Amino acid sequence: SPLITKSAVEATKTLFKELKKKWNMKIDDKFGEVVLETLLFYLHYIDRIAYHRFGARQRDIFMDALLAEIEQWLLSFCENKTEATGLSLAFEETYSKRQREYAPYKLLAEKNGEISGTIFWEFGKKIAGILGDENNIAVILLVKLIIHSSLMALPLPDFFKK
């Protein structure tokens, strides 16, 4: 899980750097929210692969363990038990919400190359919305490019070794 969290943070840093460079966007106050959404997206993506690799039962075991590690990482930023409890509940609720939200979308584009209706497109729209305009196609495509590249760089087959 440290690799996943680090990758989500680094991908967000890359995205913010590009957005500032290309469009001089003032978005620093959105960094934490975008990191969290990126992490939730990574978890959804990994969950889909785990389901296809292991089947439902083993996927549940794998994802429960991964989610527990990610949650512990998040809780390490809390200053007290009350804050940790609130963050834990919010993370679990938001994770479940994102799972339901992304579930209907295709993982990859159809052969015609149409990327709308894929999880990468919908995630790009979510991030563009956080940054001010969910219909900004340039931001959506930049998000898709950076996040897809980041996920492809993760050694996902190593995560799934039994």
CSV table of all heavy atoms in Angstrom, one decimal, residues 50-70:
chain,number,residue,atom,x,y,z
A,50,ALA,N,-8.5,-7.1,-9.2
A,50,ALA,CA,-8.5,-8.2,-8.2
A,50,ALA,C,-9.7,-9.1,-8.4
A,50,ALA,O,-9.6,-10.4,-8.3
A,50,ALA,CB,-8.5,-7.6,-6.8
A,51,TYR,N,-10.8,-8.6,-8.7
A,51,TYR,CA,-12.0,-9.4,-9.0
A,51,TYR,C,-11.8,-10.3,-10.2
A,51,TYR,O,-12.1,-11.5,-10.1
A,51,TYR,CB,-13.2,-8.5,-9.2
A,51,TYR,CG,-14.5,-9.3,-9.5
A,51,TYR,CD1,-15.2,-9.8,-8.4
A,51,TYR,CD2,-14.9,-9.5,-10.8
A,51,TYR,CE1,-16.4,-10.5,-8.7
A,51,TYR,CE2,-16.1,-10.2,-11.0
A,51,TYR,CZ,-16.8,-10.7,-10.0
A,51,TYR,OH,-17.9,-11.5,-10.2
A,52,HIS,N,-11.2,-9.8,-11.2
A,52,HIS,CA,-11.0,-10.7,-12.4
A,52,HIS,C,-9.9,-11.7,-12.2
A,52,HIS,O,-9.9,-12.8,-12.7
A,52,HIS,CB,-10.7,-9.8,-13.6
A,52,HIS,CG,-11.9,-9.0,-14.1
A,52,HIS,ND1,-12.9,-9.6,-14.7
A,52,HIS,CD2,-12.2,-7.7,-14.1
A,52,HIS,CE1,-13.8,-8.7,-15.0
A,52,HIS,NE2,-13.4,-7.6,-14.7
A,53,ARG,N,-9.0,-11.3,-11.4
A,53,ARG,CA,-7.8,-12.2,-11.1
A,53,ARG,C,-8.2,-13.3,-10.1
A,53,ARG,O,-7.8,-14.5,-10.2
A,53,ARG,CB,-6.7,-11.4,-10.6
A,53,ARG,CG,-5.5,-12.2,-10.1
A,53,ARG,CD,-4.3,-12.0,-10.9
A,53,ARG,NE,-3.2,-12.8,-10.3
A,53,ARG,CZ,-2.1,-13.0,-10.9
A,53,ARG,NH1,-1.9,-12.5,-12.1
A,53,ARG,NH2,-1.2,-13.7,-10.3
A,54,PHE,N,-8.9,-13.0,-9.0
A,54,PHE,CA,-9.2,-13.9,-7.9
A,54,PHE,C,-10.6,-14.4,-7.8
A,54,PHE,O,-10.8,-15.4,-7.2
A,54,PHE,CB,-8.9,-13.2,-6.6
A,54,PHE,CG,-7.5,-12.7,-6.3
A,54,PHE,CD1,-7.3,-11.4,-5.8
A,54,PHE,CD2,-6.4,-13.5,-6.6
A,54,PHE,CE1,-6.0,-11.0,-5.6
A,54,PHE,CE2,-5.1,-13.1,-6.4
A,54,PHE,CZ,-4.9,-11.8,-5.9
A,55,GLY,N,-11.6,-13.7,-8.4
A,55,GLY,CA,-13.0,-14.0,-8.1
A,55,GLY,C,-13.4,-13.3,-6.9
A,55,GLY,O,-12.6,-12.6,-6.2
A,56,ALA,N,-14.7,-13.3,-6.6
A,56,ALA,CA,-15.3,-12.5,-5.6
A,56,ALA,C,-14.8,-12.7,-4.2
A,56,ALA,O,-14.5,-11.8,-3.5
A,56,ALA,CB,-16.8,-12.7,-5.6
A,57,ARG,N,-14.7,-14.0,-3.8
A,57,ARG,CA,-14.3,-14.3,-2.4
A,57,ARG,C,-12.9,-13.8,-2.1
A,57,ARG,O,-12.6,-13.1,-1.1
A,57,ARG,CB,-14.5,-15.8,-2.2
A,57,ARG,CG,-14.3,-16.1,-0.7
A,57,ARG,CD,-14.9,-17.5,-0.4
A,57,ARG,NE,-14.7,-17.8,1.0
A,57,ARG,CZ,-14.3,-18.9,1.4
A,57,ARG,NH1,-14.0,-19.9,0.6
A,57,ARG,NH2,-14.2,-19.1,2.7
A,58,GLN,N,-11.9,-14.2,-2.9
A,58,GLN,CA,-10.5,-13.9,-2.7
A,58,GLN,C,-10.3,-12.4,-2.9
A,58,GLN,O,-9.5,-11.8,-2.2
A,58,GLN,CB,-9.6,-14.7,-3.6
A,58,GLN,CG,-9.4,-16.1,-3.2
A,58,GLN,CD,-8.7,-16.2,-1.9
A,58,GLN,OE1,-9.4,-16.6,-0.9
A,58,GLN,NE2,-7.5,-15.8,-1.8
A,59,ARG,N,-11.1,-11.8,-3.8
A,59,ARG,CA,-11.0,-10.3,-4.0
A,59,ARG,C,-11.4,-9.6,-2.8
A,59,ARG,O,-10.8,-8.6,-2.4
A,59,ARG,CB,-11.9,-9.9,-5.2
A,59,ARG,CG,-12.1,-8.5,-5.3
A,59,ARG,CD,-13.6,-8.2,-5.0
A,59,ARG,NE,-13.8,-6.8,-4.8
A,59,ARG,CZ,-14.3,-6.2,-3.7
A,59,ARG,NH1,-14.7,-7.0,-2.7
A,59,ARG,NH2,-14.5,-5.0,-3.6
A,60,ASP,N,-12.4,-10.1,-2.1
A,60,ASP,CA,-12.9,-9.5,-0.8
A,60,ASP,C,-11.8,-9.5,0.2
A,60,ASP,O,-11.5,-8.5,0.9
A,60,ASP,CB,-14.1,-10.2,-0.3
A,60,ASP,CG,-15.4,-9.9,-1.1
A,60,ASP,OD1,-15.4,-8.9,-1.9
A,60,ASP,OD2,-16.4,-10.6,-0.9
A,61,ILE,N,-11.1,-10.6,0.3
A,61,ILE,CA,-10.0,-10.7,1.3
A,61,ILE,C,-8.9,-9.8,1.0
A,61,ILE,O,-8.4,-9.1,1.8
A,61,ILE,CB,-9.6,-12.2,1.4
A,61,ILE,CG1,-10.7,-13.1,2.0
A,61,ILE,CG2,-8.3,-12.3,2.2
A,61,ILE,CD1,-10.4,-14.6,1.8
A,62,PHE,N,-8.5,-9.8,-0.3
A,62,PHE,CA,-7.4,-8.9,-0.8
A,62,PHE,C,-7.7,-7.5,-0.5
A,62,PHE,O,-6.9,-6.7,0.0
A,62,PHE,CB,-7.2,-9.2,-2.3
A,62,PHE,CG,-6.2,-8.3,-2.9
A,62,PHE,CD1,-4.8,-8.5,-2.7
A,62,PHE,CD2,-6.6,-7.2,-3.6
A,62,PHE,CE1,-3.9,-7.6,-3.3
A,62,PHE,CE2,-5.7,-6.3,-4.2
A,62,PHE,CZ,-4.3,-6.5,-4.0
A,63,MET,N,-8.9,-7.0,-1.0
A,63,MET,CA,-9.3,-5.6,-0.9
A,63,MET,C,-9.5,-5.2,0.6
A,63,MET,O,-9.1,-4.1,0.9
A,63,MET,CB,-10.5,-5.3,-1.7
A,63,MET,CG,-10.3,-5.3,-3.2
A,63,MET,SD,-9.0,-4.2,-3.8
A,63,MET,CE,-9.6,-2.6,-3.3
A,64,ASP,N,-10.0,-6.1,1.4
A,64,ASP,CA,-10.2,-5.7,2.8
A,64,ASP,C,-8.8,-5.4,3.5
A,64,ASP,O,-8.6,-4.5,4.2
A,64,ASP,CB,-10.9,-6.8,3.6
A,64,ASP,CG,-12.4,-6.9,3.3
A,64,ASP,OD1,-12.9,-5.9,2.7
A,64,ASP,OD2,-13.0,-7.9,3.7
A,65,ALA,N,-7.8,-6.2,3.1
A,65,ALA,CA,-6.5,-6.0,3.7
A,65,ALA,C,-5.9,-4.8,3.1
A,65,ALA,O,-5.3,-4.0,3.9
A,65,ALA,CB,-5.6,-7.2,3.3
A,66,LEU,N,-6.0,-4.5,1.8
A,66,LEU,CA,-5.5,-3.3,1.2
A,66,LEU,C,-6.1,-2.1,1.8
A,66,LEU,O,-5.5,-1.1,2.2
A,66,LEU,CB,-5.7,-3.3,-0.3
A,66,LEU,CG,-5.1,-2.1,-1.1
A,66,LEU,CD1,-3.7,-1.9,-0.8
A,66,LEU,CD2,-5.4,-2.3,-2.6
A,67,LEU,N,-7.5,-2.1,1.9
A,67,LEU,CA,-8.2,-0.9,2.5
A,67,LEU,C,-7.8,-0.7,3.9
A,67,LEU,O,-7.6,0.5,4.3
A,67,LEU,CB,-9.7,-1.2,2.4
A,67,LEU,CG,-10.3,-1.0,1.0
A,67,LEU,CD1,-11.7,-1.5,1.0
A,67,LEU,CD2,-10.2,0.4,0.5
A,68,ALA,N,-7.5,-1.7,4.7
A,68,ALA,CA,-7.1,-1.5,6.1
A,68,ALA,C,-5.7,-0.8,6.1
A,68,ALA,O,-5.5,0.1,6.9
A,68,ALA,CB,-7.0,-2.8,6.8
A,69,GLU,N,-4.8,-1.2,5.2
A,69,GLU,CA,-3.5,-0.5,5.1
A,69,GLU,C,-3.6,0.9,4.7
A,69,GLU,O,-3.0,1.8,5.3
A,69,GLU,CB,-2.6,-1.3,4.2
A,69,GLU,CG,-2.1,-2.6,4.7
A,69,GLU,CD,-1.1,-3.2,3.7
A,69,GLU,OE1,-0.4,-2.5,3.0
A,69,GLU,OE2,-1.1,-4.5,3.6
A,70,ILE,N,-4.4,1.2,3.7
A,70,ILE,CA,-4.6,2.6,3.3
A,70,ILE,C,-5.3,3.4,4.4
A,70,ILE,O,-4.8,4.6,4.6
A,70,ILE,CB,-5.5,2.6,2.0
A,70,ILE,CG1,-4.9,1.8,0.8
A,70,ILE,CG2,-5.9,4.0,1.6
A,70,ILE,CD1,-3.6,2.4,0.2
